[in-house]
Amino acid sequence: MYRRYQRPFYQDPLLVLIGLNVVFFLLTTGSDALLIRLAISPATFLSEPWTAITSMFVHAGLSHLLFNMLALYFFGSYLTQIVGERQMLAVYFIGGIVGSLFFWLLGPSNGLAVGASGAIFALGGALAVLRPMTKVIIFPIPIPLPLWVAVIGGGLLISLAANVAWESHLGGLITGIAAGLVNRGRLRL
């Protein structure tokens, strides 16, 4: 089983991802122009394809950043224990990019999307396949739920909220489920 050894934070890919998200948040705080420039928009995606990646590092407010980073830490740590750092990073980035592509294809033409949610849903989708019955507690429900229920049910509830890019969540979740199925065949569960 994977064991996290004592090492500097800059050598831990999960902490580096969280750090990059915080740095991007600080850089875009007070600069709506920069945030919009880094966000993905169906209207400008073909001329600015890099936004499929940059949009994963910017967030629309402190609570958006905090909830995403908490989910990234917990899902990322757990998935790393199961498949290792490289696979976790592959699921994260591929899921985030696919989530961006889903937003480009299915989102409103004048819409903007920011956040790491598509990538995080990919991590959750992989875990929902690899460890579906692991019990987790999600706020505000005070009872343990199977991880697959928390990921899919929680994702559905979050996606129904206003101004949420459900398209990115869906793309990330589908990617994560596919990654979980591929990895399940490689692992002794």
Side-chain angles (χ1 to χ4, degrees):
M1 178 166 273
Y2 173 82
R3 182 176 292 173
R4 197 177 280 249
Y5 294 98
Q6 295 294 354
R7 59 185 175 176
F9 75 90
Y10 57 84
Q11 292 180 354
D12 184 323
L14 191 55
L15 295 179
V16 169
L17 276 177
I18 292 169
L20 285 170
N21 277 276
V22 170
V23 167
F24 273 81
F25 178 74
L26 294 173
L27 289 172
T28 57
T29 297
S31 177
D32 289 341
L34 181 58
L35 186 128
I36 290 167
R37 184 82 172 139
L38 298 174
I40 186 166
S41 172
T44 60
F45 177 70
L46 290 177
S47 62
E48 299 174 349
W50 60 83
T51 59
I53 296 171
T54 59
S55 63
M56 296 188 318
F57 290 96
V58 292
H59 290 80
L62 185 58
S63 62
H64 187 211
L65 174 72
L66 289 176
F67 284 117
N68 272 351
M69 294 306 98
L70 280 171
L72 171 56
Y73 182 78
F74 288 112
F75 285 165
S77 295
Y78 193 23
L79 189 60
T80 297
Q81 291 175 18
I82 299 168
V83 300
E85 290 175 343
R86 288 183 185 189
Q87 280 290 70
M88 183 276 296
L89 287 171
V91 170
Y92 180 86
F93 280 106
I94 294 169
I97 292 168
V98 170
S100 290
L101 294 175
F102 267 54
F103 184 77
W104 169 54
L105 293 170
L106 303 173
S109 62
N110 62 344
L112 291 173
V114 295
S117 300
I120 293 165
F121 267 92
L123 300 177
L127 286 170
V129 170
L130 295 171
R131 299 292 189 269
M133 299 312 290
T134 298
K135 299 294 184 198
V136 297
I137 295 177
I138 57 171
F139 182 81
I141 302 169
I143 57 171
L145 299 170
L147 191 131
W148 76 269
V149 171
V151 169
I152 294 172
L156 180 62
L157 289 175
I158 290 169
S159 295
L160 294 175
N163 297 321
V164 171
W166 63 267
E167 304 88 350
S168 295
H169 295 179
L170 179 63
L173 182 62
I174 290 170
T175 302
I177 289 170
L181 291 171
V182 167
N183 279 296
R184 188 167 65 181
R186 296 180 188 164
L187 301 172
R188 276 185 37 208
L189 301 176

